[in-house]
Structure formats: structure tokens, C-alpha cells
């Protein structure tokens, strides 16, 4: 059941009918559409003429069905017609769909009007305006929304009911925004808008784009000469993009039972799906769903020798997925070992790749390794293809990990602190000299029992450079925990080596210095181990902290 649109799209002198996805008919004029859009001009030419009940007998009108709904088409077509349009005719929620259609049909006039409309909503609903700018690559619109959001102490926005919505809740419903967009918004907000001239909200910086393209080109290079040099192939694997790889049935069957069954059951295909070798022998063809880069990298592992795997997490996970589907157990093991290395060496990229691939446990492991990074200044190309939820949850995870690490550092027992307290209590006690003599007698007894000697404690040691030295390093470690809670500090061995130049050149270890030596071990080993243990316990507030999120192309 169709319905007719309102004026001016109900005129009987119209020569084209456009039907929306929800069955609303728009009677329009082809000359106006042709001027407004070259896409519409072509559609009118190829449209199928049909007869309608309200048209004169024998008259057929070209008929076009579009995927947009009636509300969107009504607003779009009114921008094409020479009619008066009321002020603020659209709600902010309507603009993305109308603008998307205008860009799709290459309508320059409506597009010029629509890109200005979100700017009027910037002060009232800044993040919605920012998200529209990011979705359509409109830097001016995105910047207007981001600048308006600077007035909020907590990053957020207002909804249509004038209710404040924090950024976390807003990200649950936003469309067309990636984790990369969100990270740049946070940087803009953190710098209070004082960003370099080259900074953009809608795309990564030039340096980051170049690094991403270089990484992609380095991992996608395929050594074609490997397959060209294989002697006497007896089967061909054809990739989804038409790349053909000459192989050997025996090795392919041993590597994969799936391929083995296909080889056994294979029959010669038609001539156009086969290839002849130099001696005109017809080779059977197996068609695969993977593209040439993924398939060629995977099938090389059917042959002996060392074969390289890409370091790009998304490419690597695509190869791993193909290997698991073909039940190539030995090769799966090799790829997983390399994947574990990538998680450690490139945890941020691995985290977003794991989230997009639905590998929740791998995402957790990668997130744990990102604690070595200062997240606010870290970037991964995969952020441009992942929803912002993943980045926001990673930020929350870092915040909880940072708090846990600081609590451990604050409550950690230091030997030098205990000596300092003891020293203070001895100096303030009226019997401090008696206590000191008693301690020295005990020390002599212990020394005699163990056949070792120890010099008495130097009272000035409590104010010595040694104490300052360990306190400075404790302060450095504390600062590192704030920025990078999973950071790896100096080992106890390296701390000892650096400490000997300040102490042993002056005098041997005394009792007070012994406590500092113990703290060196604790700072270099015990404290980082306890921090790491606490970080392993940190979990997101959600039951599934690193849940999978769809690729941007699936939105």
C-alpha cells in the first residue's frame, strides 16, 4: 500500500515518480532532478515507465525506487526545488541521513546547505555535532563541536531533552565515529583546544598516516617468485581476487584435511576455470574464499623452510582464521606463537585487532601489556576501524590499574622507613643510649654466632646521600606508575650497580646502609612484582570487559 507525498510532490504535471523505502510516492520533475544530481539524471534515463491509476490512459511515467525513507527524501527533494523552506526545518538527528543521501547522489546544492546546519546546534549539543563532522569528514563541523565541549569540565553533551549525557553513555549510541576520532577528541580536550595547526579531528596526522601505510605495505608484499619457482605443480588454488597459486596435492593434503578431502573429491572443471602448463597438462583448480595475500602467506607453510608472517595484527588474525577453518593444526600453532609475540611487542594494535576479531581473551592479554604504554600519547592504525567503546573501556582499565599500582606503592613496606622510625624513637627516648648499647651487645653476640663482623651503624647515615638516592628512585618509580602502571623499572641488579658508586667508594655497608640495600632489592624486584600481581586482578566493571565490537563497515 503506497501513499502520496504532500505538495509540491503531488503535481500531475510531474514526469517521474520516486518511491521511498517505506512506500511513499514523490511526483517530481525530471529536469529539476537532472540539474540537482547527475545520479538522478542517469536514473531517470534508465527508469522503467509504468502506468498508474491516476494517470491518463496510455500514459506511462518513469518509476524509480530508492532505499531512503520518505522523511529523508522529502527533506532532500525540497532542497532541490525552488520553494521557500522554513527556518530550522530539521532536527539534529535528521541531518546525518539527509546529508548522507545528498553526498550519495552528488547533490552539490543540498550538500552546501546541510553541512552548515549542524553548526547551529554546536553550543547546545556539542558531541552530536562533533560526531557528524567525524562521520562525514567535515573538519569545520567537528572542530565546532569539540570547541563547544571545552566548556564542560567532564567531557559530555546534552540530549534533545536538555539532559546531560556523559561521553561514556553518548558513545553507546553514536554512529560513524571510530576509536581514533575519540582519541583525538580527548587530546583536543586535554590541551584545552591549544593544538598544533596541523592537528585534525577527522583524520590522523600525516606522520601517523605515513607510518600506517608503510607498515601495511611492508606486511602485504608477496613473494611471487616463491610459487613461480615450485617445480612440477599438480593443482592450483585460486583466491577470491583471482590470484592463482600452483601447489602440490600431497603437501596440501598433509597440511589440511579439508584440502585433502577436496583434492580427493575434485573433478576437472570447465576449460575457462583451468590452466594448462607448458606441456599442456590440465591442472585442477580449487577455489578459495580468501584473498591472494592471505592465501599465499598461509599456503607457503605447507612447504619446508622458514616463512615470514606479517606483524600487522589484522592481517595476521586473518591468516590465523583461515588456518583454523582449514584445520591446519601445525600451522595454527606457528601462527599463534607469532601472534603472542605481536601482543607483547605491539599491544595497542593487537588489542584493537583482537576486539574487532571477537577474541576477548586475547584483547584482555593485549590490554594488560598496554599498561607499559602512556596511553594518552599512543596510537595504532587499527583505532581508525574500531568503535570508540573499545578505547573508552581501555582508558577505564588504565585508570583502575593506575589506582591499584599507586595503592601498592603507598602501602609497600620499606626497610629504610623502618630504620628511620627506629632512629627517631631512639633520639627522643631518654634511654636511647642504653638502647644503643643494648643493640650493639646483641649485634656482637650475633656476629660471634655467625663468625662474621659488622661495623656499627653510623648515626649520620640516616641523613646520608644514600637515603636521598633511594628516595629519588622511589619517587621516579612512583611517577612512572602514574603514567604507565605496567612499566618495567630498573632491575635490582642494575640498581645495585648504580648504587655502589655512591656508597662503597666511601665506606662499606653499615646497618643503616643495609636497609637501603634491602630497599634496592624491593624497588627493583619485590614492588614491581606486587604491582604486576595487583594489575592482573584489575577487571572492567562490566562482566565482559573487552567485548567485541563490529567493524565500522558493518554499522
Amino acid at each position: 500500500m503506497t501513499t502520496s507525498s504532500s505538495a509540491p510532490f503531488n503535481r500531475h504535471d510531474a514526469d517521474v515518480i520516486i518511491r521511498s523505502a517505506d512506500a511513499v510516492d514523490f511526483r517530481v520533475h525530471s529536469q529539476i532532478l537532472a540539474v540537482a544530481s547527475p545520479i538522478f539524471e542517469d536514473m531517470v534515463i534508465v527508469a522503467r515507465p509504468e502506468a498508474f491509476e491516476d494517470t491518463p490512459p496510455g500514459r506511462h511515467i518513469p518509476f524509480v525506487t530508492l532505499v531512503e525513507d520518505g522523511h529523508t527524501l522529502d527533506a532532500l527533494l525540497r532542497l532541490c526545488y525552488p520553494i521557500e523552506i522554513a527556518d530550522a526545518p530539521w532536527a539534529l538527528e535528521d541531518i546525518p541521513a539527509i546529508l548522507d543521501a545528498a553526498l550519495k547522489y552528488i547533490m552539490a546544492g543540498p550538500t552546501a546547505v546541510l553541512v552548515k546546519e549542524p553548526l547551529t546546534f554546536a553550543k547546545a549539543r556539542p558531541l552530536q555535532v562533533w560526531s557528524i563532522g567525524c562521520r562525514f569528514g567535515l573538519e569545520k563541523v567537528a572542530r565546532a563541536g569539540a570547541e563547544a565541549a571545552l566548556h564542560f569540565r567532564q567531557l559530555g553533551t546534552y540530549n534533545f531533552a536538555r539532559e546531560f549525557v556523559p561521553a561514556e553513555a553518548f558513545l553507546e549510541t553514536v554512529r560513524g565515529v571510530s576509536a581514533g576520532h575519540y582519541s583525538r577528541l580527548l587530546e583536543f580536550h586535554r590541551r584545552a583546544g591549544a593544538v598544533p595547526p596541523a592537528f585534525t579531528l577527522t583524520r590522523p596526522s600525516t606522520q601517523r598516516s605515513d607510518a600506517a601505510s608503510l607498515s601495511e605495505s611492508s606486511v602485504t608484499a608477496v613473494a611471487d617468485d616463491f610459487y613461480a619457482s615450485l617445480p612440477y605443480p599438480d593443482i592450483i588454488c585460486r583466491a577470491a581476487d583471482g590470484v592463482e597459486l600452483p601447489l602440490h596435492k600431497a603437501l596440501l593434503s598433509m597440511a589440511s584435511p579439508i584440502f585433502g578431502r577436496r583434492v580427493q573429491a575434485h573433478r576437472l572443471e570447465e576449460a575457462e576455470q583451468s590452466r594448462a602448463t607448458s606441456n599442456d597438462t590440465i591442472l585442477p583448480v580449487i577455489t578459495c574464499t580468501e584473498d591472494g595475500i592471505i592465501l599465499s602467506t598461509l599456503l607457503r607453510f605447507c612447504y619446508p623452510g622458514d616463512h615470514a608472517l606479517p606483524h600487522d595484527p589484522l592481517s595476521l588474525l586473518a591468516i590465523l582464521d583461515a588456518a583454523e577453518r582449514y584445520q591446519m593444526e601445525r600451522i595454527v600453532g606457528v601462527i599463534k606463537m607469532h601472534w603472542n609475540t605481536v601482543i607483547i611487542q605491539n599491544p595497542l594494535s593487537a588489542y584493537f585487532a583482537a576486539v574487532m576479531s571477537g577474541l576477548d581473551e586475547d584483547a584482555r592479554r593485549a590490554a594488560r601489556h598496554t599498561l607499559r604504554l602512556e596511553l594518552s600519547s599512543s596510537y595504532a592504525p587499527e583505532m581508525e576501524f574500531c568503535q570508540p567503546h573499545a578505547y573508552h573501556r581501555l582508558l577505564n582499565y588504565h585508570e583502575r590499574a593506575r589506582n591499584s599500582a599507586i595503592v601498592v606503592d603507598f602501602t609497600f613496606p620499606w626497610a629504610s622507613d623502618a630504620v628511620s622510625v627506629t632512629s627517631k624513637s631512639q633520639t627522643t627516648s631518654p634511654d636511647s643510649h642504653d638502647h644503643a648499647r643494648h643493640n650493639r651487645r646483641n649485634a656482637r653476640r650475633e656476629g660471634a654466632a655467625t663468625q662474621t663482623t659488622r661495623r656499627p651503624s653510623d648515626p649520620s647515615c640516616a641523613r646520608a646521600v644514600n637515603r636521598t638516592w633511594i628516595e629519588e628512585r622511589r619517587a621516579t618509580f612512583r611517577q612512572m606508575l602514574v603514567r604507565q602502571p605496567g612499566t618495567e623499572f630498573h632491575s635490582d641488579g642494575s640498581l645495585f650497580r648504580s648504587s655502589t658508586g655512591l656508597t662503597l667508594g666511601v665506606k662499606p655497608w653499615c646497618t643503616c646502609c643495609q636497609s637501603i640495600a634491602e630497599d634496592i632489592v624491593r624497588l627493583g624486584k619485590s614492588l614491581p612484582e606486587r604491582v604486576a600481581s595487583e594489575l592482573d586482578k584489575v577487571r572492567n566493571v562490566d562482566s565482559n570487559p573487552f567485548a567485541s565490537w563490529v567493524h565500522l563497515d558493518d554499522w
Side-chain angles (χ1 to χ4, degrees):
M1 183 66 181
T2 61
T3 57
S4 297
S5 180
S6 59
F9 309 120
N10 55 1
R11 295 174 61 94
H12 291 286
D13 59 351
D15 57 351
V16 177
I17 293 180
I18 294 178
R19 179 169 294 172
S20 67
D22 51 355
V24 178
D25 285 346
F26 295 84
R27 292 177 176 269
V28 294
H29 300 81
S30 60
Q31 291 183 346
I32 295 178
L33 292 185
V35 173
S37 166
I39 304 298
F40 274 133
E41 182 180 16
D42 294 337
M43 283 195 295
V44 170
I45 294 174
V46 300
R48 182 182 73 255
E50 292 188 9
F52 293 86
E53 295 180 357
D54 55 350
T55 58
R59 184 188 177 192
H60 293 72
I61 300 179
F63 172 77
V64 178
T65 301
L66 301 181
V67 296
E68 287 76 22
D69 60 34
H71 181 71
T72 300
L73 285 180
D74 183 85
L76 184 64
L77 293 173
R78 288 181 186 278
L79 288 171
C80 300
Y81 268 65
I83 58 176
E84 183 179 0
I85 300 177
D87 294 335
W90 311 292
L92 183 61
E93 287 76 15
D94 298 332
I95 294 177
I98 305 171
L99 179 58
D100 188 41
L103 293 171
K104 172 183 174 182
Y105 297 119
I106 317 180
M107 294 179 162
T111 300
V113 174
L114 290 167
V115 295
K116 298 176 182 178
E117 282 298 311
L119 299 177
T120 61
F121 296 90
K123 290 185 178 180
R125 305 177 68 185
L127 290 193
Q128 288 88 339
V129 173
W130 161 79
S131 66
I132 292 174
C134 291
R135 177 175 176 179
F136 296 102
L138 305 173
E139 181 63 27
K140 184 178 180 180
V141 175
R143 182 67 66 99
E147 289 176 348
L150 293 177
H151 298 289
F152 297 103
R153 180 176 299 178
Q154 178 189 0
L155 186 60
T157 188
Y158 287 100
N159 59 18
F160 64 92
R162 299 293 298 166
E163 298 171 338
F164 182 76
V165 180
E168 182 175 6
F170 174 74
L171 294 175
E172 296 290 337
T173 58
V174 69
R175 290 189 59 199
V177 175
S178 69
H181 290 134
Y182 183 48
S183 70
R184 290 186 287 275
L185 174 65
L186 291 176
E187 182 178 357
F188 187 86
H189 197 269
R190 184 168 55 252
R191 296 188 179 191
V195 293
F199 180 88
T200 56
L201 290 161
T202 56
R203 60 186 183 277
S205 64
T206 304
Q207 295 83 354
R208 289 177 171 181
S209 300
D210 292 344
S213 61
L214 287 174
S215 174
E216 182 179 357
S217 63
S218 64
V219 299
T220 56
V222 181
D224 296 331
D225 55 348
F226 174 82
Y227 292 98
S229 63
L230 291 177
Y232 310 113
D234 54 9
I235 196 169
I236 288 175
C237 281
R238 181 178 294 157
D241 53 4
V243 175
E244 294 186 345
L245 306 174
L247 298 161
H248 297 86
K249 295 178 181 178
L251 294 177
L252 193 61
S253 299
M254 287 190 294
S256 165
I258 302 298
F259 278 125
R261 288 193 290 269
R262 293 183 64 178
V263 168
Q264 291 297 328
H266 194 276
R267 297 179 179 178
L268 293 179
E269 299 182 357
E270 297 178 352
E272 63 269 21
Q273 296 176 331
S274 304
R275 169 178 289 183
T277 59
S278 58
N279 58 1
D280 295 330
T281 302
I282 302 294
L283 295 182
V285 176
I286 292 180
T287 302
C288 301
T289 58
E290 295 76 23
D291 62 37
I293 293 175
I294 301 300
L295 195 63
S296 63
T297 305
L298 174 63
L299 296 183
R300 277 185 239 174
F301 284 87
C302 297
Y303 293 82
D306 295 329
H307 304 291
L309 283 167
H311 292 279
D312 169 46
L314 288 175
S315 299
L316 184 61
L317 289 178
I319 298 171
L320 176 60
D321 179 67
E324 290 177 337
R325 281 189 285 105
Y326 291 123
Q327 300 179 12
M328 308 170 84
E329 295 182 1
R330 180 188 65 82
I331 301 175
V332 166
V334 174
I335 298 174
K336 283 187 175 180
M337 289 181 60
H338 184 67
W339 168 237
N340 291 333
T341 302
V342 170
I343 288 178
I344 296 173
Q345 295 178 346
N346 193 5
L348 192 60
S349 290
Y351 167 75
F352 288 106
V355 169
M356 286 187 285
S357 302
L359 304 176
D360 296 339
E361 187 57 39
D362 288 342
R364 292 187 184 95
R365 290 196 296 121
R368 175 63 177 83
H369 286 289
T370 63
L371 295 178
R372 305 194 311 267
L373 308 175
E374 190 169 352
L375 196 57
S376 61
S377 59
S378 299
Y379 174 79
E382 291 77 9
M383 296 170 66
E384 305 301 328
F385 308 100
C386 193
Q387 283 195 357
H389 302 80
Y391 186 63
H392 190 82
R393 296 188 179 195
L394 186 62
L395 289 170
N396 288 342
Y397 172 68
H398 271 245
E399 180 65 24
R400 283 188 295 276
R402 184 182 301 111
N403 293 338
S404 297
I406 292 174
V407 169
V408 171
D409 175 70
F410 183 78
T411 59
F412 192 77
W414 296 100
S416 54
D417 291 343
V419 170
S420 177
V421 172
T422 303
S423 176
K424 290 180 181 179
S425 64
Q426 290 177 351
T427 56
T428 56
S429 171
D431 300 326
S432 57
H433 295 289
D434 295 336
H435 284 295
R437 287 193 295 272
H438 178 72
N439 291 337
R440 285 195 292 271
R441 285 197 300 271
N442 289 339
R444 284 195 294 271
R445 295 193 191 99
E446 295 174 359
T450 58
Q451 299 298 318
T452 60
T453 59
R454 177 179 295 179
R455 288 187 57 180
S457 174
D458 185 353
S460 65
C461 231
R463 298 182 300 274
V465 176
N466 302 344
R467 178 70 53 77
T468 304
W469 185 88
I470 190 66
E471 288 176 350
E472 288 176 350
R473 278 143 187 83
R474 285 167 56 181
T476 301
F477 184 68
R478 188 175 298 112
Q479 293 171 0
M480 293 177 66
L481 287 180
V482 173
R483 299 192 305 269
Q484 302 156 257
T487 187
E488 296 179 0
F489 198 56
H490 302 292
S491 67
D492 50 351
S494 64
L495 287 171
F496 260 120
R497 285 192 296 272
S498 61
S499 69
T500 54
L502 298 175
T503 55
L504 295 183
V506 179
K507 58 181 180 298
W509 294 105
C510 63
T511 303
C512 181
C513 295
Q514 180 63 31
S515 66
I516 297 178
E518 293 174 2
D519 279 350
I520 292 175
V521 178
R522 298 184 183 196
L523 181 58
K525 185 176 181 180
S526 304
L527 176 57
E529 289 178 351
R530 186 173 297 184
V531 169
S533 176
E534 289 300 317
L535 293 180
D536 290 337
K537 300 176 183 177
V538 177
R539 288 291 183 268
N540 199 288
V541 292
D542 299 335
S543 59
N544 192 7
F546 302 108
S548 306
W549 297 100
V550 297
H551 192 278
L552 282 176
D553 294 342
D554 299 330
W555 295 0

